[in-house]
Amino acid sequence: MKLLFSLQLWVLIGTLFPDAGAINLQDNKDSICAATALIQGGMLDYYEGTRYGGTVGMFQPPYYWWQAGVAFGGMLENWFLCQNDTYKDLLMNALVAQTGPNYDYIPANQTTVEGNDDQGVWGLTILDAVERNFSAPIDGKPGWLAMSQGIFNTMYARWDMQSCNGGLRWQIFTWNSGYNYKNTISNACLFQIAARLGRYTGNTTYLDVAERVFDWLVGVGYIVLSEKGNVYDGAKVEDNCTDITAIEWTYNHGVVLGGLAYMYNATNGSSVWQSRLTSVLGGATAYFFQDNIMYESACQPYKTCNNDQRCFKSIFSRMLGFTSVLAPFTSDTIDPLLKASAMAAAGSCDGGTDGHTCGLDWQLKTNDGYYGLGEQMSALEVIQQLLIHERPAPYRADNGGTSVGDAAAGLNSTTTNVLKNNLKITGGDRAGAAIVTTIVLGIIIGGAAWMMF
């Protein structure tokens, strides 16, 4: 009832003040950057880090740590694409605050609840800092590349051969609900992190790991390569990962797609990786666009998207942009979809008392009554992709990248203890962690099961 009232209120505000600060997006840099500046301001309405007593690097409830990682990735891309330093210090403080004592993005405030997917999503953002030459951390802290390598090393150390012939579990720690689930997003993040490190450093060992992870995803049936490739959500280890949750989300497709684009680029246009990329892109364009406008097909038509799922289009948009740049043969397919979606998303940003609060359903081209961090993040990411060809491609170490690395990062004894789940926790910690990370399974339409991030 409360949600219904809130939606009705936003619709009423939009009706009474239809042009109050609404975004009028034009296809030029000044207009795009002005629009994304407004949208970022709306994102930061939810940010705790600038409030008295707030946690630097975290957004207010009900938003989780992984969503902060995605949000900062979008803002970092905006810093690069718009060449705007407005939020540079905020970004630096947030990224450094959440590194954890071993600089591998296992911070103390997440040690009882963090999953492999959470760490992996932050890893994608830290690699953005590497490839975009974001200013290096100071005061003796490791470089962004070293932190990315620490994330990779700690994640790959959890590769689990005890079930399903390999793969990462959803959860890091045995006491968390979902430890028995091997999900696509955790493994897709590891795949992409390895691909990006291989491309950036030139070390083919990373590319070998990326191929191993991708082969596992295909072999277990989470990815089905065809003209319209499928990327499913995951499965439980009790069934040896055979009873697959056959639902498709934009973020799973997006992270796999991005990893494939990096592998294609790193292997100088390998026909093998081109074929795989073409398959997954074929599925992504078929399943997540309606009239050329992006949508979350598993929940959006039924108005059942939760706070996690309302963020997924942000990752998808960023990965489509990377793919268009790194695999130029895809640009004729991707760029018109991004443009149509960006224009529609901008149309949805006409809600709220400020007149530029963004909505969920971009097909309407006006605010649909939904609002929140996810709506702002997704609109930001898709709109700024219109600039993706106007700035340099992600740097490598041999063509301008400057970040300092450490191939052995994350392999110290303290991190190893974390990997072995040797933390001392109380009964209260155990109960709280279980509640926070409980798997939420539901029925959408026709018996399709969905899972929270």
Side-chain angles (χ1 to χ4, degrees):
M1 186 68 178
K2 185 175 181 180
L3 174 61
L4 178 61
F5 175 77
S6 297
L7 295 179
Q8 291 171 337
L9 177 62
W10 282 102
V11 171
L12 177 62
I13 290 171
T15 302
L16 293 175
F17 306 102
D19 298 313
I23 292 174
N24 180 22
L25 183 65
Q26 305 296 318
D27 191 8
N28 62 72
K29 184 176 180 179
D30 287 345
S31 178
I32 293 164
C33 292
T36 55
L38 288 175
I39 293 168
Q40 285 183 101
M43 288 172 59
L44 293 175
D45 288 343
Y46 303 96
Y47 184 53
E48 285 191 346
T50 52
R51 301 174 187 171
Y52 179 77
T55 302
V56 176
M58 290 289 290
F59 288 80
Q60 69 187 39
Y63 303 109
Y64 295 111
W65 187 65
W66 78 267
Q67 290 162 309
V70 177
F72 296 132
M75 293 180 69
L76 195 151
E77 279 294 296
N78 189 266
W79 163 82
F80 180 79
L81 294 171
C82 287
Q83 299 169 277
N84 184 342
D85 287 343
T86 300
Y87 298 118
K88 185 177 180 181
D89 289 343
L90 182 151
L91 279 169
M92 176 65 76
N93 292 335
L95 296 182
V96 170
Q98 295 299 318
T99 57
N102 298 299
Y103 302 104
D104 53 9
Y105 286 83
I106 304 179
N109 63 349
Q110 298 295 317
T111 48
T112 60
V113 296
E114 184 172 346
N116 281 304
D117 50 357
D118 304 317
Q119 188 186 20
V121 165
W122 274 87
L124 302 182
T125 289
I126 303 310
L127 277 161
D128 289 344
V130 173
E131 296 168 345
R132 297 310 200 182
N133 276 349
F134 191 62
S135 298
I138 59 174
D139 298 330
K141 294 179 175 63
W144 302 120
L145 177 58
M147 294 188 198
S148 301
Q149 290 167 312
I151 293 169
F152 168 81
N153 287 334
T154 53
M155 289 185 71
Y156 192 45
R158 302 183 200 115
W159 188 261
D160 173 33
M161 294 299 298
Q162 295 182 6
S163 60
C164 309
N165 197 34
L168 289 178
R169 294 172 181 261
W170 174 19
Q171 299 295 345
I172 296 173
F173 305 109
T174 57
W175 55 77
N176 283 331
S177 295
Y179 183 75
N180 64 335
Y181 192 76
K182 291 191 174 181
N183 61 350
T184 294
I185 190 61
S186 296
N187 290 280
C189 284
L190 178 60
F191 165 56
Q192 188 178 134
I193 289 168
R196 292 171 77 166
L197 285 172
R199 176 184 177 273
Y200 186 88
T201 65
N203 185 339
T204 58
T205 300
Y206 291 118
L207 301 183
D208 292 341
V209 172
E211 184 151 22
R212 180 188 187 189
V213 178
F214 184 80
D215 287 347
W216 181 83
L217 284 163
V218 173
V220 80
Y222 292 3
I223 296 175
V224 179
L225 297 175
S226 63
E227 183 179 354
K228 298 177 181 178
N230 303 102
V231 181
Y232 298 128
D233 191 75
K236 293 181 179 180
V237 300
E238 291 88 345
D239 301 312
N240 203 35
C241 297
T242 57
D243 187 12
I244 295 173
T245 304
I247 191 165
E248 306 200 53
W249 299 107
T250 55
Y251 78 136
N252 281 329
H253 272 263
V255 176
V256 170
L257 187 68
L260 289 167
Y262 274 94
M263 288 299 289
Y264 170 84
N265 191 273
T267 56
N268 299 312
S270 158
S271 60
V272 172
W273 290 106
Q274 179 173 345
S275 175
R276 293 166 173 173
L277 173 54
T278 300
S279 170
V280 174
L281 179 59
T285 57
Y287 307 141
F288 303 120
F289 290 89
Q290 191 172 69
D291 298 326
N292 286 349
I293 297 172
M294 189 186 302
Y295 77 120
E296 195 65 59
S297 57
C299 63
Q300 193 176 305
Y302 318 113
K303 301 187 185 302
T304 57
C305 299
N306 63 28
N307 277 323
D308 287 333
Q309 295 149 6
R310 285 152 59 186
C311 296
F312 289 173
K313 288 185 292 188
S314 61
I315 304 177
F316 186 49
S317 298
R318 192 190 316 166
M319 295 306 159
L320 284 170
F322 282 156
T323 300
S324 180
V325 168
L326 295 168
F329 75 91
T330 67
S331 62
D332 286 346
T333 298
I334 291 174
D335 292 356
L337 297 174
L338 285 174
K339 183 173 182 179
S341 297
M343 294 298 176
S348 83
C349 298
D350 64 354
T353 55
D354 60 8
H356 49 257
T357 294
C358 303
L360 177 65
D361 187 347
W362 298 342
Q363 271 81 11
L364 298 177
K365 301 178 184 177
T366 188
N367 192 283
D368 58 355
Y370 282 87
Y371 60 94
L373 180 61
E375 285 78 6
Q376 298 298 120
M377 289 163 53
S378 297
L380 170 70
E381 294 266 27
V382 75
I383 290 171
Q384 66 194 21
Q385 297 313 312
L386 299 181
L387 299 174
I388 199 70
H389 295 290
E390 296 188 18
R391 298 282 287 138
Y395 292 117
R396 304 185 308 268
D398 64 0
N399 74 347
T402 59
S403 191
V404 177
D406 176 4
L411 298 181
N412 58 63
S413 59
T414 304
T415 301
T416 301
N417 287 340
V418 172
L419 297 178
K420 292 180 179 177
N421 302 331
N422 286 337
L423 287 177
K424 293 182 179 179
I425 61 169
T426 66
D429 291 330
R430 189 184 303 272
I435 292 170
V436 171
T437 60
T438 297
I439 301 174
V440 181
L441 291 173
I443 302 300
I444 296 180
I445 291 291
W450 57 266
M451 177 161 288
M452 285 181 62
F453 190 101

